[in-house]
Amino acid sequence: MFKPLLLLCGLAISMPVLAISATSQDIAGIRAAMDDRLKDSESAKIKSVRIASDGTTCGLVNAKNSYGAYGGYQPFLAMKLSSGKFYVVGVGRESGQVCESKGI
């Protein structure tokens, strides 16, 4: 009885999720949520943001590092909360892998 349930859960995770493009209000919320993750969140350039129906948010961010130079676009993973605010789960390769596995 448990094997079909586990198989079903595995299929649900690997299926692509419908996602929409972020609005300018969403981008502003993501930028505010990046304060805890980036050395210079004010310099952040955010692009290719997609929000899934479950609130999972994926995109690319490029911000200045400690030396004042842009380090290149990195994938990020965030969650859009029911309040409309965002929580950034992570920035980096692993975040991109999660987004890719969810089809976002």
Side-chain angles (χ1 to χ4, degrees):
M1 182 166 192
F2 290 105
K3 288 184 182 179
L5 179 59
L6 292 176
L7 179 61
L8 180 61
C9 290
L11 290 175
I13 291 172
S14 64
M15 292 177 61
V17 177
L18 294 177
I20 59 170
S21 295
T23 65
S24 58
Q25 185 176 2
D26 291 330
I27 299 293
I30 293 166
R31 187 179 307 279
M34 288 281 181
D35 282 343
D36 294 338
R37 297 287 178 168
L38 301 174
K39 294 201 181 289
D40 184 0
S41 62
E42 294 294 319
S43 71
K45 297 177 183 179
I46 299 171
K47 70 178 186 177
S48 303
V49 179
R50 305 284 294 164
I51 303 173
S53 57
D54 66 354
T56 303
T57 305
C58 297
L60 298 172
V61 62
N62 188 9
K64 291 183 179 178
N65 59 24
S66 301
Y67 300 106
Y70 283 96
Y73 281 96
Q74 295 287 319
F76 72 85
L77 172 65
M79 289 300 299
K80 186 173 185 178
L81 308 175
S82 58
S83 64
K85 293 185 177 186
F86 288 86
Y87 173 75
V88 177
V89 177
V91 177
R93 188 181 80 234
E94 294 83 6
S95 297
Q97 290 172 342
V98 172
C99 292
E100 189 175 306
S101 73
K102 291 186 73 119
I104 303 173

